[in-house]
Amino acid sequence: MNKKDIADIKKQFKVNNDLLKIQDIFNVYIMKESSEIYHYESTPFEMLEDEQKDLFMANFKKVLTGQLDQKLFELKFQRDVEDSSQLILHKGMLSDDTEEWKAQMLEIVAKMLKDKQYEMDIVITFIHGEYAKPVKRSNEEAEESSRNKVFSSPFTLCSMNKTMDPKKELLFDYVEKEFKYHFVVDPVINLKQPIGGFLFPAFTGGAADVNHVLYSAAKPYELDYHFIEEVLTAEEAMTAEDDKIVFEEIVKDVAGEQINTTTLANVYDEIQRVVEENEEEDAPMLDYKDVEKVLTSSGVQDIDPEKVETAFKKVIDDEKYEMKATSIVPKYTSKSIKIKTKVADLKVCPQDLRYVRQTTLDGKLCLMIEVEENTVIEGFEMIPEAIFNRVEDGE
């Protein structure tokens, strides 16, 4: 799934929408002390009160909120594994029998509880629904409603939410004219901040892809690998941060630990150009041949495909590995380039890296930054100073 696919299905999660119908909702309460099921119940979604529907719809949107490869990950299922979650979810997705679907979801819950101790009571919510995407009309069908033809697929979405201790409050009773201590015993289910979840199947252009599942982490870059590998039986995910680290290690392996700022800026500019020239919704992928072209075009000397291929094998143990170009350029990962020194840590945008130089002044290493206007520190404008080499007495 790309950003557009996720945005398309996410915006359908609203009440009374004929493009996304939810048949059943299934809630399972897990006790933290025993990591066992305390209670579960299912309800036809239409039987919920409107306020409840709105709460759950907002929760489901939260599961689908976040950046790809940071918080949301399209995962491929492992092949030839016992007790495959792909098979369990596929059976549940295709079932028209609510009891059979619930039985499949309880199998997923059992996997969640195996070898796992939760720190708080949690509620696991599953919904069984159908997602429909209208087919684009041709010119001949221009007079025909787009709703006459749709891609339609059943789906299952899971949301995991922690519980919170109820608040102890002091209330004022207007009738009795007195202050009262108010304490609710029942725990509160935090639907605003899911701690995990998934959507099965993944969707590409509105079409279902049962070989992939969309996994949602609690926070960016904080993946639950037990959940990915043991519960979903999916292959391990690589985050955008992982791709960036892999790229940096490959460049170090083929070009050395030392590189000047101009060349490094050229590398980022070249990758950014690749991203901007790509007109597809999916981010362009870089294999070892692409990385070799980027480094060569950026001015890195003595680079060849074989050398880069060997570096891929050494760093990631997979010479056929591909990384997303958008994960590498700091501009697209919402991060600046970090410059670390003994006296200060700085951050600059990739396109401004060419204005940074390391030089030797009076026998000492110095960091020089070219600026177009006076620098302001804590509200004070710095005075330009002339720098002269110190002259020893008698010279």
Side-chain angles (χ1 to χ4, degrees):
M1 298 181 74
N2 57 37
K3 291 191 296 184
K4 186 177 185 304
D5 292 321
I6 295 172
D8 283 346
I9 191 170
K10 177 182 173 182
K11 69 182 181 183
Q12 303 303 331
F13 279 91
K14 50 191 175 184
V15 179
N16 299 324
N17 176 19
D18 60 347
L19 290 180
L20 192 143
K21 297 180 180 179
I22 301 175
Q23 286 89 32
D24 299 287
I25 183 167
F26 184 36
N27 292 303
V28 183
Y29 196 99
I30 307 298
M31 298 291 289
K32 65 179 179 181
E33 291 87 357
S34 60
S35 286
E36 294 179 351
I37 296 175
Y38 178 74
H39 175 70
Y40 63 78
E41 65 179 34
S42 67
T43 309
F45 194 75
E46 288 303 317
M47 296 295 291
L48 298 179
E49 296 179 0
D50 288 342
E51 291 78 6
Q52 287 180 298
K53 291 179 183 178
D54 289 335
L55 282 173
F56 279 115
M57 285 296 192
N59 172 249
F60 303 148
K61 285 184 178 181
K62 287 287 187 180
V63 174
L64 300 175
T65 298
Q67 295 294 320
L68 273 171
D69 302 319
Q70 296 182 20
K71 187 175 179 293
L72 299 176
F73 300 85
E74 184 183 77
L75 306 178
K76 185 177 181 180
F77 287 105
Q78 299 176 34
R79 294 292 185 183
D80 303 321
V81 294
E82 294 183 4
D83 199 21
S84 169
S85 292
Q86 180 184 17
L87 182 58
I88 296 172
L89 291 169
H90 194 256
K91 286 181 178 179
M93 181 189 75
L94 296 179
S95 176
D96 293 326
D97 185 289
T98 300
E99 292 302 315
E100 183 179 344
W101 173 70
K102 286 167 51 179
Q104 303 294 343
M105 296 308 100
L106 286 174
E107 286 191 39
I108 297 296
V109 174
K111 287 189 170 194
M112 294 182 186
L113 302 181
K114 185 179 180 181
D115 303 323
K116 179 74 174 182
Q117 181 70 46
Y118 292 98
E119 297 177 355
M120 73 291 287
D121 290 0
I122 65 169
V123 174
I124 305 168
T125 300
F126 298 96
I127 55 171
H128 190 199
E130 186 170 322
Y131 170 51
K133 186 174 178 64
V135 180
K136 290 185 179 180
R137 292 173 294 173
S138 62
N139 293 334
E140 292 77 12
E141 299 171 321
E143 300 300 324
E144 185 181 351
S145 171
S146 63
R147 296 294 177 88
N148 290 344
K149 294 184 178 181
V150 296
F151 287 122
S152 182
S153 173
F155 71 90
T156 293
L157 183 141
C158 169
S159 174
M160 300 174 64
N161 300 279
K162 64 182 179 180
T163 60
M164 301 182 297
D165 292 332
K167 294 181 179 180
K168 300 176 182 179
E169 299 173 314
L170 185 66
L171 304 181
F172 179 72
D173 189 326
Y174 277 99
V175 178
E176 301 294 334
K177 294 183 179 180
E178 62 180 0
F179 295 96
K180 293 182 177 180
Y181 174 71
H182 178 71
F183 177 66
V184 179
V185 177
D186 298 331
V188 178
I189 302 169
N190 184 2
L191 293 176
K192 295 182 179 180
Q193 294 179 309
I195 59 173
F198 64 85
L199 171 69
F200 175 83
F203 289 90
T204 303
D209 176 6
V210 297
N211 293 315
H212 291 84
V213 59
L214 185 70
Y215 162 71
S216 176
K219 296 179 180 179
Y221 303 115
E222 294 186 9
L223 283 69
D224 185 341
Y225 288 101
H226 172 270
F227 191 90
I228 291 173
E229 298 174 14
E230 302 299 328
V231 177
L232 294 177
T233 58
E235 295 180 357
E236 184 176 334
M238 289 288 286
T239 68
E241 189 72 14
D242 292 333
D243 269 353
K244 187 173 184 297
I245 293 173
V246 167
F247 177 77
E248 291 171 354
E249 291 302 314
I250 288 172
V251 173
K252 289 178 183 178
D253 190 80
V254 299
E257 294 282 342
Q258 296 182 331
I259 189 170
N260 63 55
T261 53
T262 300
T263 302
L264 190 56
N266 290 340
V267 170
Y268 288 124
D269 285 346
E270 187 66 21
I271 297 175
Q272 185 172 323
R273 182 189 63 77
V274 172
V275 173
E276 292 174 349
E277 289 182 353
N278 182 71
E279 297 180 355
E280 302 296 328
E281 291 291 344
D282 294 325
M285 306 298 291
L286 302 178
D287 60 13
Y288 75 90
K289 294 180 181 178
D290 298 315
V291 172
E292 182 270 331
K293 291 177 182 177
V294 165
L295 297 180
T296 301
S297 300
S298 304
V300 180
Q301 302 297 316
D302 301 323
I303 301 296
D304 60 68
E306 291 75 15
K307 191 174 184 179
V308 180
E309 183 180 12
T310 301
F312 266 70
K313 179 68 174 177
K314 179 179 178 181
V315 173
I316 196 73
D317 196 28
D318 183 3
E319 65 274 18
K320 299 185 183 300
Y321 181 75
E322 295 180 327
M323 62 192 82
K324 286 186 178 180
T326 50
S327 300
I328 299 168
V329 184
K331 174 183 177 182
Y332 289 91
T333 57
S334 302
K335 290 186 177 182
S336 300
I337 294 176
K338 297 178 182 178
I339 301 175
K340 293 187 177 183
T341 69
K342 183 178 180 179
V343 295
D345 291 343
L346 310 173
K347 293 183 179 180
V348 298
C349 296
Q351 59 268 31
D352 295 330
L353 188 59
R354 62 186 77 254
Y355 301 115
V356 180
R357 296 285 187 277
Q358 179 175 282
T359 186
T360 301
L361 182 64
D362 200 17
K364 296 183 178 180
L365 278 177
C366 297
L367 189 68
M368 183 173 65
I369 303 176
E370 179 185 339
V371 296
E372 296 181 352
E373 54 189 20
N374 287 345
T375 303
V376 177
I377 301 178
E378 295 292 335
F380 294 94
E381 188 172 304
M382 294 184 67
I383 300 174
E385 301 178 46
I387 300 178
F388 299 96
N389 290 335
R390 292 194 296 268
V391 180
E392 299 293 340
D393 291 341
E395 292 188 0

